[in-house]
Structures are given as structure tokens and as C-alpha cells.
């Protein structure tokens, strides 16, 4: 592929101030305000974000896990691999959100101290003017700090999700190129497309909320202690609502997980059917089978939409509980506080509402979202792991030792291969031959006799049941099916290599493209 003129990424050389305030993006925003952004306006990808580097790192952990699982006689776990590969960098990102949520909990205390300054009398004593200025400055600084930490956290956590998604995509692509004949019978192109288009996106979503699984209970405990010191046992009336919501949200998470698995299966079927329809559209049009196949696709799509609709209903209930919970919590807490014979002051009301608001956002939105996204991500991880465990083609056939006959190039001894063992009869049975240097071996036979299977066995793409294949040197294979990828004629010839004018002209001449290029 021809590379476009991308620019160096400014974040690599940005200073601390530029990183905190994202000033290194200002030139890109300036260009985007004047005109539409084009491909050459984009920056180069940072070296640590490149697909090759990320994919190879995760692949190395996965290979170690597969080897360890085989020795321990247990199934390998892709979740363990992801944790081992990314737990350090992802844990460091948690410092940002922990600091932000800690400020969010203790800021209402500062606000209460400030409000007490304006109250005429208070049992705890008046607040001096200098202290009020200090509390006001602390409230302002904490607000600025929360704004900065919020955007820094979401930038880094989304980048972490992107890295996981790219690394897993790299592994899926690599695995798809290595599947053997039996594995190809167990999967479909639609399933692979679904893994790359839908399942890997769950890593972007789960990384956003994963920290709230441990941060939510911790923040709730801290807020509860502050509320107990402020309102006494009356605050527990508001916490009852949160306690009731937690198991409900857990139930929603399990339902999300179940619906996600069913939806993914139906999506695989729909994509598989559509791929078959597109590939055989000529026959379908010839025999007038449009309506039966359209009904088949519509039925699968209807079932898929039904599962998506149920997921949307659950998501709507989650959002409804989020908007309603805050009002109910505050009402229950203040009502219990007043009925206990206490007098509500402005500072007490503001601090209680702010504390309940801080934990309400976490408990009723972020924590349920974390459960939902983790449930969906685990389903995706299970599907991706199942694909990664499919059988691969054999390694490149063992080369002939240098000590053997020099002119022996290919040696096949008692080779037996199956495309599908369930069919009973082997594709190749007890095949033996030797090809020496300078010899021409022609294999002839009717359709289905096994000519292409023999080539696949020599290439290592057809698993060997017995016997062996040895090849001296490197193999070069030219398929009888031509193909091109989207791009220019030059890009299809160069394949990303530098242009050699003389060699390029010889290729045009050999492919009889000289006349076409000059005429165009």
C-alpha cells in the first residue's frame, strides 16, 4: 500500500503542560475549524500504539498461557492473559479517577463549611472570614482539579481500551490466516467479521467503567461515614434505596450477559447468510429465489432485533433508576432526619444533597454500567477465545538436511490427509513421490481427484494424518485464482516496496499492461 504523507505525532514531544491541557491538539483543531480534515492531516501513530507491537506483546502472553494450560491439563483463559498484559498500565490510570472521586466526596464538606459562614448561628460555632475565604478557594481549586482529572482519565482509559482492541484484532487476523481445513469448517466468514466489528468493541466500553467496580463501594463507604457524622443514623434511610438498587443492577448485568450472547449468535447467522446470498446472487436471480432468501434473512434479523430490543428495555430501566434514585434518596434521608426531631440547616441540606449526588452517580450509573459492560465483555472474550483455540495449519514442512541428496527438492512419503474425517475416505491416501532438481512433475486427474489437496499438503495447509512431507529450500506458490486489492495498479505491483523503475517496467511488460497504462 502506498503511504500518505502523515505528520509526526506532537504528543511524543509535548511537555507536561501541553499533556495536561491537551495543547498538542490545538493545530489539528485549528485546521478542522477552517476545512474538513483529510487523511494527510492525521498524525503518525505513536510507536507504542502500533498494531504490530501491541499484537505481538499480547500474542506472546497468549502463547505462554496456552503452553501452561496444556501442561496443567486445563483450558487456557484469555481473561488471565489480558490481565497479565495490561494490569500495570491500567492500574496506574486508576489513580486519576480515584483522586477525582475522592475530591468529589470531600468537596461537599468544604461547601458545608463555607455555607456555615453565612448562617446566623450554628451549634458548632461560627466560621471566621479568613476561614471562609480558605474554604471558598479550596472549593474552586477542587472544581478545577476534578475537571482536569476527568478529561485526563477518560483520555488515557479510552487509549487503554483502544490498545486492547487493536491487540486482539491483530491476534484474530493472525489466527484467521492460520486456520486449517477442519477449523474452517467450524467457523464462518460472518463470525470472523462479527468478532472484528462487534466483539472487540466491548474492550473500549469495559475499560471506561471497570475501575468503578472497586471504586463504587469504597466511595460509598467514605460518603456513609461523612453522612453519619453529619446526620446520624437518619442517613441510613437514604442508603436503603442504594442497597436495594445494587442486587437489581446485578440481575440486570446477568440479563445483559445472556442477551449479548444470544444477539452475537444471531448476528453470526445473519452475516453468514448474507455472505452466502451475495456470493450466490447470480444463481438466486436466475432461479427467482429472491423472496425465499429475503424471508430467511428477515427472520434472522427479526430475532436479532428482538434481542436488541430487550437489551434496550433493560438499559432504559437502568437509566430510569439513575434519574429517579437521587430524588428518592434525598427525600428518604431528609424526611427521616426531620422526623427524628432534628432541624434542617442550609449547610446540612447542601452537604447531604451533594454527598448523595456524588455516590448516586457512581452507584446508579457507573457501577451498573461496569457490571453490564463486564458481562458483555466476558461473553466476547469467551467467543474470541473459542476462535483462537481452533486448529491451525501445520508448521512449514521440515526441510531436507544438507547431508541428504543435493538434487532432492520435494520428498513425500506415505502421505495420508483428510479434509473432513467425518466423510470417512481420505483425500490423499498412501501417496509417495520424490521430485529432484531439474525434474518436471505433472499431476493430472478429473475434478475432485485431489490435485489441489496435494498442493495444500505441500504448503502445510492440509493436516497430515500420517506420513510426511519434506521440502528443500523455500516454496513459491502461484494460485490459479487472480485477485487485487483496492488501490492503484502501481500499489498492486509494488506491495508497499520502493519503486524500482526498471523492474516495474519489466513487470508491466510481462503482464501485458504496457498498452493499458499508456492508453489511460
Amino acid at each position: 500500500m502506498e503511504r500518505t504523507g502523515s505528520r509526526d505525532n506532537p504528543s511524543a514531544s509535548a511537555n507536561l503542560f501541553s499533556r495536561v491541557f491537551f495543547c498538542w491538539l490545538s493545530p489539528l483543531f485549528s485546521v478542522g475549524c477552517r476545512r474538513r480534515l483529510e487523511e494527510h492531516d492525521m498524525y503518525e501513530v505513536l510507536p507504542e500504539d502500533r498494531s504490530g507491537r501491541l499484537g505481538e506483546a499480547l500474542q506472546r502472553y497468549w502463547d505462554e498461557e496456552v503452553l501452561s494450560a496444556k501442561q496443567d491439563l486445563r483450558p487456557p483463559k484469555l481473561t488471565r492473559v489480558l490481565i497479565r498484559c495490561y494490569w500495570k498500565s491500567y492500574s496506574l490510570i486508576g489513580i486519576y479517577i480515584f483522586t477525582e472521586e475522592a475530591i468529589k466526596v470531600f468537596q461537599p464538606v468544604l461547601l458545608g463549611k463555607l455555607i456555615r459562614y453565612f448562617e446566623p448561628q450554628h451549634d458548632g460555632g461560627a466560621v471566621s472570614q479568613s476561614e471562609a475565604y480558605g474554604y471558598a478557594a479550596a472549593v474552586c481549586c477542587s472544581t478545577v482539579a476534578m475537571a482536569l482529572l476527568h478529561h485526563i482519565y477518560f483520555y488515557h482509559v479510552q487509549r487503554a481500551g483502544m490498545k486492547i482492541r487493536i491487540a486482539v484484532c491483530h491476534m484474530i487476523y493472525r489466527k484467521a490466516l492460520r486456520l486449517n481445513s477442519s477449523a474452517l469448517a467450524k467457523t464462518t466468514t460472518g463470525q470472523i467479521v462479527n468478532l472484528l466489528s462487534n466483539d472487540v468493541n466491548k474492550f473500549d466500553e469495559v475499560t471506561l467503567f471497570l475501575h468503578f467496580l472497586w471504586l463504587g463501594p469504597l466511595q460509598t463507604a467514605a460518603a456513609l461515614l461523612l453522612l453519619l457524622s453529619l446526620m446520624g443514623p437518619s442517613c441510613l434511610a437514604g442508603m436503603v434505596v442504594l442497597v436495594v438498587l445494587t442486587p437489581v443492577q446485578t440481575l440486570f448485568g446477568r440479563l445483559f450477559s445472556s442477551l449479548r450472547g444470544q444477539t452475537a449468535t444471531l448476528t453470526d447467522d445473519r452475516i453468514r447468510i448474507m455472505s452466502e446470498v451475495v456470493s450466490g446472487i447470480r444463481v438466486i436471480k436466475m432461479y427467482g429465489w429472491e423472496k425465499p432468501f429475503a424471508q430467511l434473512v428477515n427472520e434472522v434479523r427479526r430475532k436479532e432485533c428482538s434481542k436488541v430490543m430487550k437489551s434496550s428495555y433493560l438499559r432504559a430501566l437502568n437509566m430510569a433508576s439513575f434519574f429517579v434514585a437521587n430524588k428518592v434518596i434525598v427525600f428518604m434521608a431528609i424526611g427521616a432526619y426531620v422526623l427524628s426531631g432534628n432541624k434542617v440547616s442550609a449547610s446540612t441540606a447542601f452537604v447531604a444533597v451533594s454527598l448523595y449526588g456524588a455516590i448516586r452517580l457512581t452507584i446508579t450509573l457507573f457501577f451498573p454500567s461496569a457490571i453490564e459492560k463486564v458481562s458483555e465483555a466476558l461473553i466476547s472474550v469467551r467467543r474470541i477465545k473459542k476462535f483462537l483455540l481452533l486448529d491451525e495449519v501445520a508448521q512449514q514442512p521440515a526441510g531436507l538436511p544438507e547431508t541428504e541428496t543435493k538434487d532432492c527438492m520435494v520428498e513425500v512419503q506415505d502421505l495420508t490427509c483428510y479434509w473432513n474425517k467425518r466423510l470417512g475416505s481420505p483425500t490423499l491416501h498412501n501417496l509417495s513421490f520424490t521430485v529432484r532438481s531439474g525434474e518436471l512433475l505433472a499431476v493430472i486427474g478429473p475434478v475432485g481427484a485431489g490435485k489441489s489437496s496435494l498442493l495444500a499438503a505441500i504448503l502445510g495447509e492440509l493436516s497430515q494424518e500420517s506420513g510426511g512431507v519434506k521440502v528443500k529450500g523455500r516454496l513459491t506458490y502461484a494460485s490459479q485464482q487472480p485477485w487485487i486489492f483496492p488501490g492503484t495498479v502501481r500499489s498492486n505491483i509494488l506491495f508497499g516496496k520502493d519503486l524500482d523503475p526498471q523492474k516495474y517496467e519489466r513487470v508491466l511488460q510481462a503482464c501485458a499492461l504496457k498498452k493499458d497504462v499508456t492508453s489511460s
Side-chain angles (χ1 to χ4, degrees), residues 1-5 39 483-499:
M1 298 291 291
E2 294 182 351
R3 294 178 57 86
T4 55
E39 188 175 353
W483 59 274
I484 61 173
F485 59 83
T488 62
V489 174
R490 176 179 294 185
S491 63
N492 274 273
I493 294 175
L494 296 181
F495 266 73
K497 296 183 178 179
D498 296 331
L499 175 63

Side-chain angles (χ1 to χ4, degrees), residues 113-173:
K113 297 290 186 181
L114 179 61
I115 293 175
R116 284 178 57 185
Y117 171 74
F118 297 96
E119 293 179 350
Q121 275 296 344
H122 197 277
D123 297 336
V127 177
S128 64
Q129 186 177 11
S130 59
E131 290 177 337
Y133 278 117
Y135 291 135
V139 170
C140 294
C141 293
S142 61
T143 303
V144 174
M146 281 196 301
L148 293 177
L149 290 170
H150 180 80
H151 294 290
I152 292 174
Y153 166 74
F154 274 94
Y155 167 74
H156 285 288
V157 80
Q158 285 181 314
R159 186 179 174 191
M162 175 206 68
K163 288 183 177 181
I164 299 176
R165 171 171 51 84
I166 291 175
V168 175
C169 285
H170 182 277
M171 292 177 62
I172 294 175
Y173 273 118

